[in-house]
Amino acid sequence: MRAHTRTGLAGLLAVVAAGGLAVVGAPPAGAAAPGIITTVAGGPGRGVGRNVSQLPASVGAGPGGAVYVGDADGVVRRLSDGSDTESVVAGVGGPSTGFAGDGRSATQALMGRVGGVAADPAGNVFVADGNDRIRMVAAATGTFFGQHVFRGDIYTIAGDGTDGFSGDGGPATFAELAGPDGVTLDSAGNVLIADTFNQRIRVVAAATGTFYGQAMTAGDIYTIAGDGARGFAGDGGPATSAELWDPGGVAVDQAGNVVIADTINNRIRVVAAATGTFYGQAMTAGDIYTVAGSGLDGSAGDGGPATSARMGFPLGVAVDGAGNLVIADSGNYRVRLVAATTGTFYGQAMTAGDIYTIAGDGGDGIAGEGGPATSASLGLPQGVTVDRDGNVVIAVSDIYRVRVVAAATGTYYGQAMTAGDLYTIGGNGQIALSGNDDGTLNAELEGPTGVTADGAGFASLGHSQARLVPATTGTYFGRAMNAGHIYAIAGTGHAGYSGDGGPATAARLRYPGGAAFDGAGNLVIADGGNDAVRVVAAATGTFYGQVMTGGDIYPVAGTGSAGFSGDGGPATAAQLDHPMAVAVDGAGNLLIADTRNNRIRVVAEADGTFYGQAMTAGNIYTVAGSGTRGDSGNRGPATAANLDGPEGVTADAAGNLVMADTVNSRIRVVAGSDGTFYGQAMTAGDIYSVAGTGHAGYTGDDGRATAAALSGPAGVTTDAAGNLVIADTGNDRIRVVAEAGGSFYGTGMTAGRIYTVAGNGSQGFGGDTGPAAGAQLARPQAVAVDPAGDILVADTGNDRIRQVAG
């Protein structure tokens, strides 16, 4: 079926499948003591801004030309005007977003969806955290909002984490907020909050004094607009008696007026800071007025009075240096401007009080990059700010980019720009899939769900792409690569099925669940969403009965149509149903966790007898599972046993097949031959439970593995000592069943007993460079053991690959 020649994959190689990671070769030698955990790939992303994948929800200008980008996935990054690089300011990101880290390093904190971001002149960064809080990243050590803070750490300055409304007139940290979606600062340093679902604008006072017509105490919170009722009312009267409807953004103009994106009301409204004439209207201090939008949904009105125009759910608002209002008119896929004075702005002649489109033609997409902004497809603008050079910076959430309308011709964010044209400065059009050739710790992964290792290294998959990180410079999968950099080797990052027989990087995968390297160094992918197993050839040759070209992708099992058929016949003519894992046994057979068929199947490498069955090369066979969901059959023929959603499979050194019978919360073994394994006498072809009681839970550490409770284990492997290493997914732990007595991963073990070696059971991210058993994991999906004897963990919820030193 294939030539068994190693392709020379030396050193560390990491393969990431749309957020997953695979590394071939031993990781770099380190001094970590046994049992210490570190991150070896993944994180919230940093590097060249246009290469960092992200889901931008907000932008805010800061001192020194910086622009801060709030990522809905729980990360804040900083873009520098003078360069094209982006760095992480706060958050670890990933599906495991939550709340943790106050009083500690901001880059290790957990946040919810970032709804808004702002910075003060001192460089303190303020974040509207989806945990119903406003948090601050301190730029310097000192006292702010009544708290002593340390440089680089993160602190809550408003909200107690409860969704509701309370606390006005008292300490802001004891108050309740409800989905705050915008944050900004005024000239006195007060923090203004769009408390979106409370239908209010609220202020946290930076100092004791009178602001917005109210006596305020430093650190306390006050409502300055909105009476809490959802609707539209109150124009021309006191702002605190007016009705708002889900205000999504807030800004402060040069006169100190508060500008509100009153989103569902399709209006921009202003709370006057003083009595006078603003935006062409006579205003009274403390009262509220509409300055743009008729209240009707639509896009009409350009070139005429702003108050007569239609808008489509404006989500963000900013004020430029000339005092113009800049609006993220999200539903119209445009950025619009209300001119404060008559003049020429962004290449257009404008009249005071009128409204104009300055970016977007109403289309959703990326067309028009580098050309006139008004002729370009913008995408859905969710946030907007104006940088120190007057450029309009836009968070475009649906195409995963940060874009800029240049105010003047010049070089900004590392690019030559022409006044009035549109450019991307951040984001690569993907979520959590870094497209840059940067180091593994700089690359974003998204929910890696598989990791595997052989004599050459480890591999994992997670979304719709596979990526590789070599430790030595060379040519891999048909591409020249630099050591320690990251490269796509399969998949475009967009889900689908295409590309067989052509370059793997142009092919589409659909939610691949696991991967393995075979004896020839080819990458075998369980393309779960496509109901197929596919191979990326490491070199040109004949593999699995097919002539393959290095770097191209080919199907080796499954028709791409979900179902169950084909046993005993050619694997490529058989139906699979959401295969979640693959492995290669010592004989070169492919092992497939055919998850939704509740079976383990084998594609034979050669004619022979395997797992108690006579097999023909290239054909597929069920070796475990009757196809009926359940938990039965122990100590009998494996093909008569009931399984339930097996998501992991491997082969041990003795030739037994080991599976994670996930929904049954068990680890089970199909004996490859008669003998005694894992302390039990076994018969070839029969199935045995070796860990787990069949009831989900967490019990049994230091006791017999078969008496311990697991919770939805999704991955399993074996190490060089024959120990079973288990991704105990629902328990947020990695556990080991000892094959013999000894010390493994910093833990003393007794044969046949089970031990936790990583994860403290509290879902989250923490503990790097410390004892693994005290660290936080987030739904780890898979494990592998590298040639150095370290455990590699697909820490799925944290978007990382982590290593536990052996």
Side-chain angles (χ1 to χ4, degrees), residues 167-506:
D168 264 6
T173 51
F174 293 167
E176 292 177 338
L177 307 176
D181 225 10
V183 63
T184 194
L185 292 105
D186 64 18
S187 60
N190 303 308
V191 176
L192 285 80
I193 306 165
D195 194 0
T196 305
F197 299 135
N198 278 324
Q199 320 303 332
R200 290 172 165 93
I201 305 299
R202 300 171 83 180
V203 168
V204 181
T208 298
T210 300
F211 309 100
Y212 307 101
Q214 299 183 49
M216 299 187 182
T217 300
D220 287 359
I221 192 168
Y222 303 85
T223 293
I224 61 167
D227 64 0
R230 178 184 295 171
F232 175 72
D235 262 8
T240 52
S241 300
E243 292 179 357
L244 307 175
W245 197 338
D246 291 357
V250 62
V252 179
D253 67 17
Q254 290 96 326
N257 303 307
V258 179
V259 186
I260 305 165
D262 195 0
T263 303
I264 306 301
N265 281 323
N266 292 307
R267 290 175 164 94
I268 304 299
R269 300 170 83 181
V270 166
V271 180
T275 298
T277 299
F278 309 101
Y279 307 101
Q281 299 182 50
M283 298 187 183
T284 300
D287 287 358
I288 193 168
Y289 303 84
T290 294
V291 296
S294 65
L296 297 176
D297 182 18
S299 62
D302 269 3
T307 51
S308 299
R310 294 188 177 194
M311 290 191 289
F313 307 110
L315 284 171
V317 63
V319 182
D320 70 12
N324 304 308
L325 298 184
V326 183
I327 303 163
D329 193 2
S330 61
N332 287 318
Y333 299 95
R334 290 176 165 93
V335 172
R336 299 169 83 180
L337 182 144
V338 179
T341 57
T342 298
T344 299
F345 308 102
Y346 307 99
Q348 298 183 54
M350 299 186 183
T351 300
D354 287 357
I355 193 168
Y356 303 85
T357 293
I358 61 169
D361 63 0
D364 183 15
I366 192 65
E369 179 80 9
T374 52
S375 301
S377 295
L378 177 63
L380 192 153
Q382 190 163 337
V384 64
T385 194
V386 180
D387 69 17
R388 70 173 178 183
D389 297 306
N391 304 306
V392 176
V393 185
I394 310 159
V396 187
S397 58
D398 66 332
I399 59 170
Y400 318 129
R401 289 173 166 89
V402 179
R403 308 183 80 180
V404 162
V405 180
T409 298
T411 299
Y412 311 101
Y413 307 100
Q415 298 183 59
M417 298 186 182
T418 300
D421 286 359
L422 184 68
Y423 303 86
T424 293
I425 61 169
N428 62 5
Q430 298 178 2
I431 309 175
L433 294 174
S434 177
N436 61 335
D437 294 344
D438 205 341
T440 53
L441 295 176
N442 291 340
E444 282 188 310
L445 314 180
E446 185 177 356
T449 55
V451 63
T452 187
D454 63 9
F458 73 80
S460 90
L461 289 83
H463 187 249
S464 301
Q465 193 176 51
R467 294 153 76 195
L468 193 77
V469 178
T472 58
T473 298
T475 300
Y476 309 99
F477 293 93
R479 293 182 61 188
M481 299 183 185
N482 292 319
H485 287 216
I486 192 164
Y487 302 86
I489 61 166
T492 63
H494 298 280
Y497 189 99
S498 67
D500 278 347
T505 52

Side-chain angles (χ1 to χ4, degrees), residues 15 33 111 130 136 193 206 237 246 284 348 374 408 466 561 655 688 706 715-716 770 788:
V15 176
M111 296 189 294
M136 181 186 83
I193 306 165
D246 291 357
T284 300
Q348 298 183 54
T374 52
S561 172
Y688 303 83
T706 52
V716 63

Side-chain angles (χ1 to χ4, degrees), residues 646-700:
E647 293 186 11
V649 65
T650 192
D652 67 18
N656 303 305
L657 185 154
V658 185
M659 76 185 77
D661 192 2
T662 304
V663 181
N664 284 326
S665 293
R666 293 184 191 273
I667 303 299
R668 301 171 83 177
V669 167
V670 179
S673 59
D674 295 346
T676 299
F677 311 102
Y678 307 101
Q680 300 182 49
M682 298 186 181
T683 300
D686 286 359
I687 193 168
Y688 303 83
S689 182
V690 295
T693 63
H695 300 285
Y698 175 69
T699 62

